[in-house]
Amino acid sequence: MRRLEADVLVVGGGATGAGVVRDAAMRGFRAVLVERVDLGQGTTGRFHGLLHSGGRYAVSDPESARECADESETLHRIAADAVEATGGMFVSTPFDDPGYADGFAAACAAAGVWTEEISSREALAREPLVNPGIRRAFLVRDASVDAWKLIWGNARSAMEHGAAILPYHWVTEILRDGDAVAGAVCRDDAHGGEEVRIEAGFTINAAGVWAGEIADLARCPGVTVVPGRGIMIAMNHRLVSTVVNRCDPPGDGDILVPIRTVCVIGTTDTRAASPDELEIRAAEVQEMLDAGERLVPGFRNTRALHAWAGARPLVADARADTQDTRHLSRGLAVIDHQARDGVRGFLTITGGKATTYRLMAEIVVDAMCKQLGDVSPCRTAAEDLPGSEDHETYWLGSRLAGREATLHDDQLVCECELLARGPLEAMLERRPNATFDDIRRRLRLGMGPCQGGFCAPRVTGIAHELGHTDAGAANRALRTFLEHRWIGLHPILAGDQVRQAVLDDWIFQGTLDIEHLPAAAA
Ligand SMILES: Cc1cc2nc3c(=O)[nH]c(=O)nc-3n(C[C@H](O)[C@H](O)[C@H](O)COP(=O)(O)OP(=O)(O)OC[C@H]3O[C@@H](n4cnc5c(N)ncnc54)[C@H](O)[C@@H]3O)c2cc1C
C-alpha cells in the first residue's frame, strides 16, 4: 500500500474540490485532491455551461443571485481563459407571464444584478433568430464557461502552490482516529487498483451529489444530498450568440446557451433515484426541443447532436418537499461535523453552483482555518489562474486562430473541434493511460457534429503509433469511448442525425470492423 501525508485532503475533483485544493494550497497547506475518475467527470462536466449573472435567481433566491453576480465578475477576471463573455438576455416570449418582467427588473436591482431593458426591436437586431413575438427584453451579464478549463486551471494553480492532484483515486474508506477524521484510503484505478493511504490532519468533503456517501464513510450519517436530474441537448448550430433566458419563473427548457460552435437547450429538474443512473427519457427530449421552438422558432430544423444528464447536489431542507427538486434550494451548504456529529477534522461543502465554486471554497477553507486557529487569508479572488493573466476571455474564433498559427506544422486530427496532433501527443505523453473520454474532457475530442466519427479512429492510430498503449488497449479505449458517446446519441436520433450515425457506423464497421478488433484484457 502506498502512503502519503498531507495537511488537507480534498475529496472530489469537480469545480468545488478544485477550488478548495487551490485555496488551501495558496494559504500554505500541503494539500492533496483525490477524484474517483477524471477531474470534471461528475456534475461539473455535465452541466449547462452558464456562468450565471444572477438573473435566473433574482426573484426566487436573491442571496444566490447576489453571489452569482459577484462571483461571475471575479471569474471573468481570474478565470478569463475559461470564460466566453457572451452576455445574456431575458426575453418575455408570448408564452411567458407578462407581469413577471417588472418584478424581475426590481428583484435584479435589489440583488445587485446588472440589467438594462432594451426594446424588442433592438433585442431582435442582436439576436435575429429569437421569437419575433417577444414583448420585453433585458440585457444581463450571463456568460458561457468551459468547465474543464476552469477545473484544470484551478488544479494547475494548486500544483504550482505545491498541491498533489490525484485523478482515478476512489475513496473507499475514511480513516478515523477516535473522534477525528484522519484521512482516507483510496483505490488507484490508473494503476491496477493499488491501495493508497493518505493521512491528513483535515479532510474536506467536496464530493457534490455524492457528499452524503463520503459523510457515511466518515461515520457522520444523515447528510442528505438529493440528486436533481436535468437533461440538456446540444444543437449543431450556434443559433444565438448571447445566452437567452425566458423572463418567467424558472422552468424546464428556459435557457439557451451558446457554447463554442453549438448551442445548448436545457434543462429539466426531477429527483433521480441515484446520481450514477441518470436516464434521458424520450419525452424529455421532445419537451426540450419544444422549449427550444418557443425561444427560437425553427429550432427543430437544426440537428440535435448530443444529449446528456447531470445531477444537481441539492441539500435537503426540512421545509422543502424532496421530490419537488425545482424548489429545493440551490444555495451552498457547509456542514461542520464537529458541531453536528462531534467529529473533528472534517467538513462537508456541497450544493451551490459551478458559478459559485470559488466562494464555496473560500467559505469552507475559512471554516477549516477557524477550527485550526490559522489566520491565513483567502487569496483566490485576487490571483489569476494560469493562462488567464491577460484577463482576456476567449471568443468563438479562438480555437481557429490558435489552429491557424500552426497550420503548416501540425496535422489536424479533428476537423469539428480543430484539434491538432501536437496537443494530443503532449497529453498522451503526460498521461499515457488517458482514456479517450479523458482526452475529450481536455481537448474536446468527439464533441463536434460528427461525434467522433472521423477523429476517434485517427486518435486510436496515433495512440498505437506512439506506443503509449498497445494495439489492444487502444482498440478497447476506442470501443469504450464509442459506447459512452452512444449513451448521449441514441435518445436524440432523428432526421439528419440518423444519417450521421449511420455514416459513423459504416466507418467503424466497414473500414475498421470494430466489433472484431483485438482488444487487451480489461
Ligand atoms: C442539469 C444541470 C445543469 C446545471 N447548470 C448549471 C449552470 O449552467 N451553471 C452553474 O453555475 N451551475 C449549473 N449546475 C450546477 C453545477 O453544475 C453544480 O452545482 C456543480 O458543478 C457542482 O460541483 P461540485 O464540484 O460540487 O460537484 P461535482 O462536479 O459532482 O464533483 C464532485 C466529485 O466528487 C467525486 N467523487 C464522488 N465520490 C467519490 C469518491 N468516493 N472518491 C473520490 N471522488 C469522488 C465525483 O466523481 C465528482 O467528480 C447545473 C447542474 C445540473 C445538474
Side-chain angles (χ1 to χ4, degrees):
M1 187 190 286
R2 219 164 75 222
R3 282 171 187 274
L4 293 172
E5 277 183 22
D7 299 326
V8 185
L9 172 65
V10 182
V11 180
T16 310
V20 172
V21 75
R22 173 177 190 244
D23 193 326
M26 286 175 77
R27 295 193 208 204
F29 293 99
R30 283 177 309 151
V32 173
L33 177 142
V34 289
E35 160 56 48
R36 65 180 187 170
V37 193
D38 189 22
L39 300 194
Q41 191 270 347
T43 305
T44 313
R46 297 156 190 274
F47 80 144
H48 202 168
L50 171 57
L51 188 64
H52 282 283
S53 60
R56 183 75 283 163
Y57 302 107
V59 174
S60 60
D61 186 349
E63 198 182 331
S64 290
R66 184 178 294 278
E67 288 169 0
C68 287
D70 292 347
E71 286 304 304
S72 168
E73 195 180 321
T74 303
L75 295 183
H76 270 77
R77 189 179 68 251
I78 66 155
D81 186 44
V83 173
E84 185 186 348
T86 57
M89 257 187 223
F90 276 70
V91 293
S92 302
T93 74
F95 306 95
D96 299 328
D97 170 8
Y100 186 81
D102 287 327
F104 167 79
C108 285
V113 175
W114 178 87
T115 61
E116 182 188 330
E117 182 157 15
I118 56 172
S119 67
S120 305
R121 196 181 160 142
E122 186 183 342
L124 291 169
R126 286 169 179 254
E127 290 293 353
L129 300 183
V130 160
N131 193 317
I134 56 170
R135 289 171 295 214
R136 297 190 63 181
F138 300 86
L139 297 178
V140 292
R141 293 200 175 120
D142 282 339
S144 92
V145 58
D146 183 321
W148 296 294
K149 280 190 137 200
L150 184 68
I151 293 176
W152 277 100
N154 277 275
R156 277 165 47 216
S157 169
M159 287 189 271
E160 285 174 4
H161 288 88
I165 305 291
L166 305 178
Y168 289 96
H169 281 61
W170 190 305
V171 171
T172 53
E173 184 186 340
I174 295 284
L175 298 169
R176 282 285 297 265
D177 180 8
D179 65 355
V181 163
V185 175
C186 305
R187 194 184 65 229
D188 178 354
D189 285 328
H191 296 97
E194 179 193 6
E195 285 208 323
V196 184
R197 182 184 171 92
I198 304 173
E199 287 166 11
F202 214 100
T203 299
I204 297 182
N205 171 12
V209 72
W210 296 271
E213 293 177 16
I214 299 298
D216 282 347
L217 289 178
R219 286 179 266 146
C220 298
V223 172
T224 308
V225 187
V226 177
R229 185 182 62 90
I231 76 154
M232 291 134 286
I233 303 176
M235 309 302 287
N236 79 328
H237 285 294
R238 187 166 154 125
L239 296 168
V240 289
S241 50
T242 54
V243 177
V244 180
N245 305 260
R246 291 207 10 215
C247 196
D248 214 25
D252 290 350
D254 57 355
I255 311 179
L256 187 57
V257 184
I259 300 181
R260 300 190 186 274
T261 56
V262 303
C263 64
V264 177
I265 184 77
T267 167
T268 56
D269 199 340
T270 49
R271 184 180 174 139
S274 155
D276 293 305
E277 281 161 41
L278 301 175
E279 54 180 336
I280 299 171
R281 298 181 191 140
E284 289 172 331
V285 169
Q286 296 311 317
E287 196 192 318
M288 285 302 99
L289 297 178
D290 286 344
E293 267 311 306
R294 287 183 206 114
L295 276 169
V296 172
F299 189 82
R300 278 177 171 277
N301 296 337
T302 51
R303 176 152 68 95
L305 280 183
H306 202 90
W308 65 96
R312 296 174 183 83
L314 304 174
V315 182
D317 174 335
R319 292 159 301 168
D321 170 1
T322 58
Q323 298 301 322
D324 177 14
T325 50
R326 175 75 65 200
H327 295 104
L328 275 176
S329 168
R330 263 78 177 137
L332 59 91
V334 179
I335 302 172
D336 175 346
H337 293 285
Q338 188 168 338
R340 179 185 183 270
D341 308 292
V343 175
R344 291 181 294 114
F346 188 49
L347 288 165
T348 292
I349 174 86
T350 186
K353 284 165 281 297
T355 304
T356 55
Y357 85 92
R358 195 212 58 82
L359 176 67
M360 294 167 72
E362 176 175 343
I363 291 172
V364 77
V365 179
D366 276 352
M368 176 185 79
C369 286
K370 196 169 167 205
Q371 290 192 12
L372 296 174
D374 188 296
V375 291
S376 337
C378 174
R379 294 188 288 125
T380 55
E383 285 189 24
D384 305 320
L385 298 180
S388 296
E389 295 83 356
D390 58 4
H391 296 172
E392 285 202 9
T393 53
Y394 71 77
W395 58 291
L396 177 59
S398 293
R399 281 177 83 84
L400 182 58
R403 191 62 204 97
E404 281 177 337
T406 59
L407 205 55
H408 297 296
D409 314 313
D410 205 356
Q411 272 178 343
L412 191 60
V413 176
C414 164
E415 288 87 351
C416 306
E417 292 291 344
L418 298 170
L419 166 61
R421 187 175 174 127
L424 173 68
E425 288 190 352
M427 176 164 177
L428 288 171
E429 200 66 56
R430 278 194 315 273
R431 295 177 61 185
N433 293 329
T435 68
F436 289 7
D437 276 306
D438 297 339
I439 299 173
R440 173 178 65 80
R441 283 183 279 268
R442 293 305 304 277
L443 302 175
R444 302 188 65 80
L445 174 72
M447 291 183 77
C450 84
Q451 290 289 297
F454 294 90
C455 53
R458 291 179 191 146
V459 171
T460 314
I462 292 169
H464 274 194
E465 203 178 300
L466 287 178
H468 285 296
T469 172
D470 64 44
N475 294 341
R476 184 157 52 80
L478 171 66
R479 285 220 288 257
T480 307
F481 179 69
L482 295 178
E483 277 163 27
H484 288 173
R485 288 276 84 189
W486 188 245
I487 294 170
L489 274 172
H490 78 86
I492 43 105
L493 278 185
D496 280 346
Q497 189 59 8
V498 177
R499 296 166 67 166
Q500 178 72 56
V502 170
L503 173 63
D504 290 351
D505 193 51
W506 277 351
I507 295 172
F508 292 122
Q509 305 292 351
T511 64
L512 294 177
D513 192 15
I514 189 170
E515 297 293 337
H516 302 104
L517 285 173

